[in-house]
């Protein structure tokens, strides 16, 4: 039986087993906040000053069977949504699943009994099954009788990944039935479905099902609305550990006529079976199981609502389990805080985490068995860097948030993905994390990370709404991005600040309680918050989630106050009328004050029309968007901006930490779009040069570094900008020094890392020499010579300045890293080579010595190295087929395309990219490509418009006495 084309009828030739193993079909459905992301739900890459990754997460994507134009309009479809969805005549209620895992043969087999409700009379049953999954003969048993039926016809659609069984007799509505079917498959390194991961002593297995890959491991109804309960039995070789969503039962399932072969070896003790308790109703993408040689650490927490004590474990291979304690501690701290916040108890008897060497996303919220990659969960317990601790805490807290948002209450379809990801980002990486680590000032840090990433992406015409129509499951992966995660979280943060966090959380609690174990849409959430606040929340929020883009508020002063006008903000300049139709309900958050250090904030002011006037005493200091809570930019007159900057620079300023961070990001974004002269943004940097807060410095240095990277092809401008950056960072680095102390507070530690990294990246001789000296001691065996927070910049600096000897030493560290932080720092170093021969070695390494999951680290590292951008593009295009084939089941291609092409700034580069992709199937990354191409056009216009301005400003600055810095 062979599949040829999109739809094939399987012929049964008196064979005891029906094999559904379609041959490879071009353009077959595939899939990857990152998030992305990226499960992609968190930023798994370290965000240091010298090595910035501004995508908060890695995300999933799929391909489908046609070539897609280079455009972001992938959501539209000529076909009705029902064409892409499973029929609703039959609904699953329970899966009784047995899986046998053979690590030696790298294969699995299984059998499933699926309890079904026949909702409407039908002769056919349609479910999901992916190509490569071999299915045995299906039998349907009607529970009201002893009758069993075999289908008279079986069909399979490779494009939609659906199998249909047609029966001779109609099944009446109200019938209860059981579908029995066996299956088997190979354990591959695809990082999707049920797959293998490698370590020094062999392989182990785990699952990754979100969004649509449960069908790769078992036949199922693989849509979030079709919730069911699951009873899982795992049969495994002796000496291994088996895990699933629920705790193991005392009683183990026994073999029957259908599953007998799966239990071979259990009686003689060479294999063993583990049966797990039945799950609550849940979507298939949350099902999880794993098998391998795992060790674990254990803790527990006591429910503040019931007093129950639940065990908490984290599993990993024995060689790295000692690095997992911090992640376990964060999980134990987070769970009771979530229960208090939502007034809903965590419903499962346990919550485990499994750390994997090969993992496509950052982490995944499987109910009761969270999974994720090493960088998301492991850190040296005796020498932990701040970046790693922040990443791990944010990841673990984010995934725990999903136990409520996504697991207890689940979106009806993927168009409401943000109900999962936006909330997990807001709760996990802001509200709850702030209670666990208040010294981290995560609300202000949220601006530098999530809000900035969201606005950067949403300023493009190739953006999409938060709530986006995505009928085709093959397109779902493209919405796992900064909009579903970071913009959604930013909009929810804005709402929370507007109504008050207590009322906001009370509304969320009402929403969760009303929809326990069910599926929801946006309006369900707005109604819950509306009930708690008495406000018309659906009206306020409608355009924020249903329309793409965000506004820029233009503020002009009147005799009695200010006039505020809203227009859509686009990165390439003022929006045309056709792109400027949306009117948002905008909380203005007006900050005023005349007494030093004492601000008054009006949180009630709301702009609901194109423009309106507000009474205000403009003789006093004021600004809009208090604490930068709002999802918008603010454009002042140059005179007012200068006055605001002057006030912000005061040690007793009325403007908060969040205010100052937002001012910086707004100024540079408005400078890029042409709303404001870039020199005005540089003046703001100069005005804030005495700033004490790390997070403000982070925004300053990130934006200056971004300007340098924009002008990377203009040596004259880059040299002047490097001089300016050196003047900012080098004195700070000299003041703080390179050595870290245990007595340093959190902000001082981060500020030192930023200052040293910025000084080294801009070529400060003293800093470079100090780092090179320490590198020599480090590779000679003194691992204490380089503080762990400076590994990234030190390795990068060493390879850049010392060439092959340093490259060889860093390569050894990459090949045998003691911690994930060392591995990522080594990649940072290898990708910083400036010598062509060393760059070639890095490209060879990517093709021959890098795990699939680590491609993105290498490409993003190379993308920050201006000396290799042309060669990187040449390498990618030359090896496109190899790379695309290798990563076809992951979500990495989206990020590789962005890394390779986003750095360019000439229209000729856009033309070249369009020509290259003209004959490629870009369907799984067409939106990322459109965004990269938009970025090239914007950057070209930015450079043309602002080069005279920036050169004039820098020349004037060079003639200014350094004492003013």
């Amino acid at each position: 039986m062979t599949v040829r084309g999109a739809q094939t009828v399987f012929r049964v030739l008196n064979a005891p087993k029906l094999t559904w193993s379609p041959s490879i079909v071009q353009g077959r459905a595939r899939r990857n906040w990152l998030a992305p992301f990226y499960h992609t739900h968190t930023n798994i890459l370290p965000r240091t000053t010298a090595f910035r990754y501004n995508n908060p997460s890695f995300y999933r994507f799929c391909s489908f069977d046609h070539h897609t134009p280079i455009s972001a309009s992938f959501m539209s479809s000529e076909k009705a949504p029902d064409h892409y969805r499973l029929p609703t005549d039959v609904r699953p209620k329970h899966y009784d699943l047995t899986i046998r895992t053979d690590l030696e043969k790298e294969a699995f087999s299984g059998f499933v009994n699926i309890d079904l409700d026949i909702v409407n009379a039908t002769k056919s049953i349609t479910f999901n099954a992916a190509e490569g999954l071999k299915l045995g003969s299906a039998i349907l048993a009607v529970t009201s009788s002893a009758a069993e039926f075999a289908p008279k016809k079986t069909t399979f659609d490779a494009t939609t990944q659906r199998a249909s069984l047609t029966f001779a007799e109609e099944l009446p509505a109200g019938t209860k039935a059981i579908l029995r079917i066996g299956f088997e498959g190979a354990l591959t390194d695809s990082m999707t479905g049920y797959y293998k991961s490698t370590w020094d002593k062999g392989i182990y297995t785990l699952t990754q099902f979100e969004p649509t890959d449960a069908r790769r491991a078992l036949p199922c109804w693989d849509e979030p609305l079709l919730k069911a309960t699951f009873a899982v039995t795992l049969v495994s070789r002796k000496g291994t550990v088996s895990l699933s969503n629920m705790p193991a039962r005392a009683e183990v399932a026994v073999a029957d006529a259908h599953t007998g072969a799966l239990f071979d070896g259990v009686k003689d003790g060479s294999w063993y079976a583990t049966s797990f308790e039945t799950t609550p109703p849940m979507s298939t993408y949350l099902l999880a199981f794993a098998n391998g040689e795992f060790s674990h650490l254990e803790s527990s927490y006591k429910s503040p609502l019931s007093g129950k004590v639940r065990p908490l474990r984290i599993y990993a291979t024995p060689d790295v389990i000692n690095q997992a304690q911090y992640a376990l501690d964060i999980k134990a701290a987070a769970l009771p805080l979530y229960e208090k916040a939502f007034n809903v108890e965590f419903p499962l008897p346990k919550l485990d985490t499994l750390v994997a060497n090969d993992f496509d996303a950052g982490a995944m919220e499987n109910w009761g068995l969270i999974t994720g990659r090493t960088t998301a969960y492991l850190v040296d317990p005796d020498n932990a860097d701040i970046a790693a601790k922040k990443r791990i805490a944010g990841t673990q807290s984010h995934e725990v948030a999903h136990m409520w948002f996504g697991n207890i209450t689940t979106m009806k379809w993927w168009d409401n993905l943000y109900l999962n990801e936006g909330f997990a980002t807001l709760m996990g990486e802001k509200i709850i994390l702030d209670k666990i680590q208040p010294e981290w000032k995560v609300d202000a840090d949220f601006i530098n990370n999530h809000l900035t990433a969201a606005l950067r992406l949403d300023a493009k015409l190739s953006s999409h709404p938060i709530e986006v129509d995505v009928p085709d499951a093959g397109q779902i992966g493209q919405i796992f991005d900064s909009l579903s995660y970071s913009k959604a979280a930013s909009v929810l943060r804005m709402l929370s600040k507007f109504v008050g966090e207590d009322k906001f959380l009370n509304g969320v609690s009402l929403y969760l309680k009303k929809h326990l174990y069910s599926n929801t849409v946006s309006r369900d959430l707005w109604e819950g918050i509306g009930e708690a606040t008495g406000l018309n929340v659906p009206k306020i929020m409608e355009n924020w989630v249903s329309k793409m883009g965000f506004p820029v508020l233009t503020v002009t002063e009147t005799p009695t106050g200010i006039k505020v006008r809203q227009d859509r903000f686009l990165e390439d300049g003022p929006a045309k009328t056709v792109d400027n139709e949306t009117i948002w309900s905008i909380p203005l958050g007006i900050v005023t004050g005349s007494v030093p250090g004492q601000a008054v904030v009006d949180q009630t002011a709301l702009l609901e029309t194109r423009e309106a006037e507000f009474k205000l005493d403009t003789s006093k200091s004021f600004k809009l968007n208090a604490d930068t809570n709002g999802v918008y930019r603010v454009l002042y007159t140059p005179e007012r901006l200068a006055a605001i900057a002057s006030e912000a620079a005061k040690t007793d300023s009325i403007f908060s930490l969040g205010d100052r961070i937002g001012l910086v990001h707004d100024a540079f974004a408005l400078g890029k779009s042409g709303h404001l002269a870039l020199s005005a943004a540089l003046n703001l940097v100069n005005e804030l040069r005495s700033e004490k807060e790390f997070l403000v410095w982070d925004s300053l240095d990130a934006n200056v570094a971004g300007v340098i990277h924009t002008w990377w092809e203009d040596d004259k401008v880059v040299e002047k900008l490097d001089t300016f950056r050196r003047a900012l960072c080098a004195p700070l680095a000299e003041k703080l020094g390179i050595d870290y102390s245990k007595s340093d507070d959190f902000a001082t530690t981060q500020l030192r890392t930023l200052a040293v990294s910025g000084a080294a990246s801009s070529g400060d001789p003293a800093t470079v020499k100090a780092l090179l000296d320490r590198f020599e001691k480090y590779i000679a065996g003194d691992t204490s010579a380089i503080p762990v927070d400076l590994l990234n910049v030190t390795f990068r600096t060493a390879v850049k300045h010392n060439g092959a000897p340093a490259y060889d030493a860093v390569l050894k560290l990459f090949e045998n890293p003691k911690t994930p932080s060392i591995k990522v720092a080594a990649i940072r170093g290898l990708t910083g080579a400036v010598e062509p021969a060393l760059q070639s070695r890095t490209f060879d390494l990517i093709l021959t010595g890098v795990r699939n999951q680590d491609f993105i680290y290498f490409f993003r590292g190379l993308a920050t190295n201006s000396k290799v951008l042309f060669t990187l593009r040449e390498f990618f295009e030359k090896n496109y087929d190899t790379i695309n084939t290798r990563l076809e089941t992951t979500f990495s291609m989206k990020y590789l395309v962005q890394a390779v092409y986003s750095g360019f700034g000439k229209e000729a580069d856009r033309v070249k990219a369009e020509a290259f992709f003209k004959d490629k199937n870009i369907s799984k990354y067409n939106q990322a490509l459109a965004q990269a191409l938009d970025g090239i056009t914007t950057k070209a216009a930015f450079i043309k418009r602002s080069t005279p301005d920036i050169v004039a400003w820098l020349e004037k600055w060079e003639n200014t006495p350094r004492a003013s810095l």
Side-chain angles (χ1 to χ4, degrees):
M1 291 157 282
T2 304
V3 173
R4 298 185 184 277
Q7 186 167 357
T8 299
V9 176
F10 290 84
R11 298 180 179 178
V12 182
L13 301 177
N14 298 319
K17 178 174 288 188
L18 181 64
T19 303
W20 295 353
S21 181
S23 59
I24 296 176
V25 180
Q26 183 180 4
R28 60 193 181 281
R30 290 287 189 184
R31 175 295 293 132
N32 164 31
W33 253 147
L34 64 222
F37 201 312
Y38 262 1
H39 146 330
T40 47
H41 301 339
T42 43
N43 185 2
I44 62 173
L45 293 173
R47 186 182 182 273
T48 67
T49 302
F51 193 26
R52 294 183 182 275
Y53 297 110
N54 290 313
N55 292 290
S57 19
F58 285 129
Y59 313 113
R60 301 190 174 283
F61 60 76
C62 303
S63 64
F64 46 100
D65 194 18
H66 59 78
H67 297 305
T68 306
I70 301 177
S71 136
S73 58
F74 66 91
M75 285 74 73
S76 62
S77 173
E78 296 178 358
K79 298 178 180 178
D82 288 349
H83 173 81
Y84 299 101
R85 305 281 289 275
L86 289 170
T88 57
D89 296 333
V90 178
R91 294 181 67 97
K93 302 303 291 183
H94 175 74
Y95 294 79
D96 191 337
L97 175 66
T98 302
I99 297 279
R100 178 184 177 93
T101 303
D102 194 330
L103 297 179
E104 292 184 4
K105 294 182 179 179
E106 299 188 0
F108 68 94
S109 52
F111 194 91
V112 64
N113 296 296
I114 309 174
D115 292 355
L116 303 175
D117 281 353
I118 309 302
V119 179
N120 299 309
T122 181
K123 285 188 175 183
S124 66
I125 295 177
T126 301
F127 53 88
N128 294 116
E131 55 187 328
L133 185 68
K134 300 178 181 179
L135 301 184
S137 300
I139 296 294
L140 185 71
V142 177
T143 55
S144 60
S145 67
E148 292 189 345
F149 304 94
K152 70 174 185 178
K153 184 174 72 171
T154 302
T155 60
F156 180 74
D157 187 324
T159 301
T160 60
Q161 298 180 322
R162 292 186 204 151
S164 293
L165 310 176
T166 302
F167 297 89
E169 300 294 331
E170 185 175 75
L171 300 167
T175 300
K176 306 291 185 182
I178 301 175
L179 178 64
R180 310 185 194 278
I181 191 165
F183 54 91
E184 61 183 39
L187 294 168
T188 70
D189 59 0
S190 65
M191 296 189 290
T192 58
Y194 191 33
Y195 71 96
K196 68 177 180 180
S197 181
T198 62
W199 70 300
D200 290 345
K201 294 186 179 181
I203 71 166
Y204 53 91
T205 61
L206 69 156
T207 56
Q208 174 55 50
F209 289 164
E210 189 182 27
T212 57
D213 282 319
R215 64 192 67 177
R216 295 184 183 277
L218 69 151
C220 58
W221 276 253
D222 204 9
E223 295 180 2
L225 181 62
L226 301 175
K227 289 190 172 186
T229 56
F230 294 82
V232 177
T233 296
L234 299 181
V235 182
S236 313
R237 288 186 178 273
K238 180 182 179 181
T240 62
V241 176
S242 293
L243 304 171
S244 190
N245 304 82
M246 299 293 286
R249 294 187 347 230
E251 296 182 1
V252 177
V254 296
D256 58 25
H258 303 288
T259 62
L262 300 179
F263 286 80
D264 286 351
V266 172
K267 286 187 176 181
D268 65 24
S270 57
W271 290 70
Y272 75 101
T274 306
S275 293
F276 298 90
E277 294 178 16
T278 300
T279 71
M282 67 182 192
S283 304
T284 48
Y285 77 86
L286 297 171
L287 176 65
F289 39 89
N291 175 243
E293 188 178 340
F294 305 132
S295 296
H296 72 271
L297 303 176
E298 187 164 358
S299 182
S300 64
Y301 87 98
K302 184 177 181 180
S303 169
L305 301 183
S306 70
K308 292 181 181 178
V309 176
R310 289 182 175 83
L312 306 173
R313 288 183 175 184
I314 188 164
Y315 289 84
T317 51
D319 55 326
V320 295
I321 190 61
N322 67 307
Q323 299 177 38
Q325 185 64 50
Y326 181 70
L328 180 61
D329 292 343
I330 293 294
K331 181 165 61 175
L335 274 159
L337 293 174
Y338 279 111
E339 289 195 4
K340 289 180 181 178
F342 299 144
N343 196 28
V344 176
E345 188 171 357
F346 176 65
L348 301 191
K350 59 92 174 175
L351 180 56
D352 295 334
T353 301
L354 173 63
V355 185
N357 287 339
D358 299 278
F359 200 81
D360 194 19
M364 176 62 204
E365 70 267 25
N366 311 301
W367 215 356
L369 180 56
I370 296 169
T371 51
R373 60 169 65 192
T374 56
T375 52
Y377 290 117
L378 301 183
V379 67
D380 186 342
D382 300 319
N383 195 23
D385 59 300
I386 293 296
K389 292 181 72 174
K390 288 177 66 176
R391 184 171 63 250
I392 292 166
T395 300
Q396 187 70 288
S397 181
H398 179 116
E399 302 308 322
V400 173
H402 275 305
M403 301 301 111
W404 285 264
F405 278 94
N407 298 10
I408 289 181
T409 303
T410 312
M411 71 266 159
K412 284 188 176 180
W413 184 247
W414 299 100
D415 52 0
N416 278 275
L417 174 66
Y418 81 94
L419 289 177
N420 286 15
E421 298 305 342
F423 254 104
T425 302
L426 176 67
M427 294 300 304
E429 301 177 49
K430 193 277 189 190
I431 292 176
I432 296 300
L433 189 57
D434 189 40
K435 299 179 186 300
I436 298 174
Q437 300 286 7
E439 71 277 14
W440 289 3
K441 301 179 180 179
V442 295
D443 186 65
D445 199 23
F446 185 99
I447 302 167
N448 276 338
N449 288 286
H450 290 290
L451 179 60
T452 299
L455 297 188
R456 181 183 297 111
L457 178 56
D458 207 26
K460 299 178 184 293
L461 279 172
S462 48
S463 178
H464 67 76
I466 293 174
E467 183 178 300
V468 55
D469 183 29
V470 55
D472 186 354
Q475 302 171 349
I476 292 167
Q478 293 209 59
I479 64 170
F480 281 80
D481 60 8
S482 292
L483 301 175
S484 295
Y485 288 72
S486 296
K487 185 186 177 184
S490 298
V491 167
L492 292 167
R493 172 176 173 263
M494 178 174 65
L495 177 62
S496 171
K497 298 285 188 175
F498 181 62
V499 305
E501 187 173 289
D502 289 343
K503 290 182 179 179
F504 176 82
L505 290 177
N506 184 35
V508 170
S509 177
L510 293 173
Y511 159 78
L512 287 171
K513 290 175 179 177
K514 186 175 180 179
H515 301 285
L516 291 174
Y517 305 109
S518 63
N519 299 80
T520 61
V521 295
S522 296
R523 192 168 189 86
D524 297 322
L525 175 61
W526 307 146
E527 289 176 351
I529 299 175
E531 182 180 345
T533 61
L535 298 174
N536 188 351
V537 175
K539 178 183 177 183
I540 296 172
M541 298 303 293
E542 171 63 25
N543 283 351
W544 288 107
V545 300
S546 66
K547 305 293 185 181
M548 71 172 67
F550 63 91
V552 54
L553 305 187
T554 302
V555 180
T556 54
E557 298 177 27
T558 69
T560 60
I562 58 174
K563 181 169 69 174
V564 184
R565 175 185 170 88
Q566 62 167 296
D567 296 280
R568 183 179 176 188
F569 178 81
L570 292 172
E571 65 175 1
D572 60 351
K576 298 178 182 178
T577 302
V578 67
D579 299 316
N580 191 29
E581 298 176 347
T582 303
I583 300 295
W584 288 272
S585 295
I586 306 172
L588 296 182
I590 304 174
V591 184
T592 59
S594 57
V595 179
Q598 296 183 23
V600 176
V601 181
D602 179 3
Q603 296 283 21
T604 64
L606 193 67
L607 178 65
E608 297 184 286
T609 56
R610 177 66 68 184
E611 61 182 27
E613 293 191 13
F614 298 84
K615 291 184 178 181
L616 193 68
D617 184 355
T618 57
S619 67
K620 300 177 181 179
S621 294
F622 77 90
K623 72 175 286 289
L624 273 59
N625 201 5
D627 294 324
T628 314
N629 293 327
V631 184
Y632 51 87
R633 303 287 187 196
V634 184
L635 175 64
Y636 304 95
T637 63
E639 296 77 17
R640 176 54 62 179
L641 178 61
I644 292 173
S646 179
E647 172 65 29
K650 296 177 181 178
T651 55
D652 58 355
S653 173
I654 66 168
F655 298 137
S656 68
L657 173 60
D659 286 327
R660 303 197 301 277
I661 294 170
L663 279 173
V664 174
H665 288 301
D666 277 4
F668 278 92
L670 292 165
K672 181 178 182 180
S673 66
H675 287 83
L676 188 71
L678 181 58
S679 56
L682 294 174
N683 280 332
L684 178 61
V685 174
N686 208 34
E687 188 75 39
L688 296 176
R689 64 192 180 276
S690 297
E691 175 64 51
K692 305 300 182 184
E693 285 281 357
F694 157 73
L695 289 171
V696 179
W697 270 102
D698 196 25
S699 66
L700 293 169
D701 189 63
N703 280 288
V704 172
V707 173
I708 294 172
H709 197 61
T710 297
W711 266 267
W712 64 274
E713 292 187 83
D714 190 325
D715 292 340
K716 178 182 177 182
V717 174
V718 168
E719 182 180 355
K720 291 179 181 295
L721 284 168
D722 275 338
T723 302
F724 178 59
R725 190 183 185 196
R726 262 197 317 275
L728 294 170
C729 294
L732 193 58
E734 182 180 7
K735 176 184 176 181
L736 295 173
I738 289 182
D739 293 312
Y740 293 71
S741 169
K742 291 184 178 179
S743 63
D744 288 339
D745 60 25
F746 181 77
T748 300
T749 297
Q750 291 188 104
L751 186 57
R752 177 182 291 108
T753 304
L754 181 149
V756 172
S757 299
S761 297
S762 57
D764 177 58
T767 305
V768 170
K769 183 180 184 304
L771 294 180
L772 293 179
D773 290 343
R774 287 174 180 259
F775 179 78
E776 293 302 322
K777 294 177 182 178
Y778 186 93
I779 62 175
D782 180 8
T783 55
S784 66
I786 303 177
V788 65
D789 293 271
L790 294 179
L791 286 174
N792 278 339
V793 66
T794 304
F795 290 177
R796 183 84 162 191
T797 301
V799 173
K800 177 180 179 180
H801 291 275
N802 286 354
Y807 187 97
D808 291 338
V810 172
L811 180 59
K812 291 180 180 178
L813 292 169
F814 166 74
E815 292 171 338
N816 295 287
K818 292 183 179 179
T819 67
S821 294
I822 292 175
K823 179 179 179 180
V824 173
I827 296 173
R828 169 66 175 156
L830 296 173
T831 56
V834 296
E835 299 174 20
L838 298 181
Q839 294 169 1
S840 294
R841 289 178 62 185
T842 301
F843 291 131
D844 290 341
L845 179 66
I846 290 172
L847 294 178
T848 61
V850 172
R851 290 177 185 264
N852 290 352
Q853 70 160 16
D854 293 332
F855 265 53
I856 187 57
Y857 292 112
F858 276 88
F859 273 75
R860 285 202 171 145
L862 291 163
T864 63
N865 180 358
S866 61
K867 302 298 183 182
V868 77
L869 287 181
F870 289 118
T871 312
L872 173 62
R873 181 173 64 185
E874 180 182 351
F875 165 76
F876 177 76
E877 293 180 354
K878 179 181 178 180
N879 296 281
Y880 175 86
D881 290 338
T882 298
I883 295 170
N884 190 44
T885 298
R886 188 166 165 182
L887 300 178
E888 64 180 348
T889 61
T890 76
F891 47 82
S892 295
M893 280 298 290
K894 170 180 177 178
Y895 297 101
L896 267 56
V897 167
Q898 290 174 331
V900 171
Y901 295 96
S902 293
F904 292 102
K906 295 180 179 178
E907 277 301 317
D909 296 314
R910 177 176 182 136
V911 171
K912 180 177 174 63
E914 289 175 333
F916 174 75
F917 287 104
K918 185 177 181 180
D919 63 347
K920 304 294 187 295
N921 183 348
I922 63 171
S923 52
K924 58 187 175 184
Y925 56 79
N926 66 297
Q927 191 184 33
L929 177 58
Q931 291 159 0
L933 297 181
D934 280 357
I936 293 174
T937 298
T938 297
K939 193 175 294 185
F942 182 27
I943 293 170
K944 181 179 180 180
R945 180 180 60 248
S946 298
T947 295
D949 178 48
I950 193 174
V951 170
W953 189 92
L954 288 167
E955 289 177 347
K956 181 180 178 180
W957 172 83
E958 288 175 331
N959 294 319
T960 302
R962 288 294 185 267
S964 70
L965 295 174

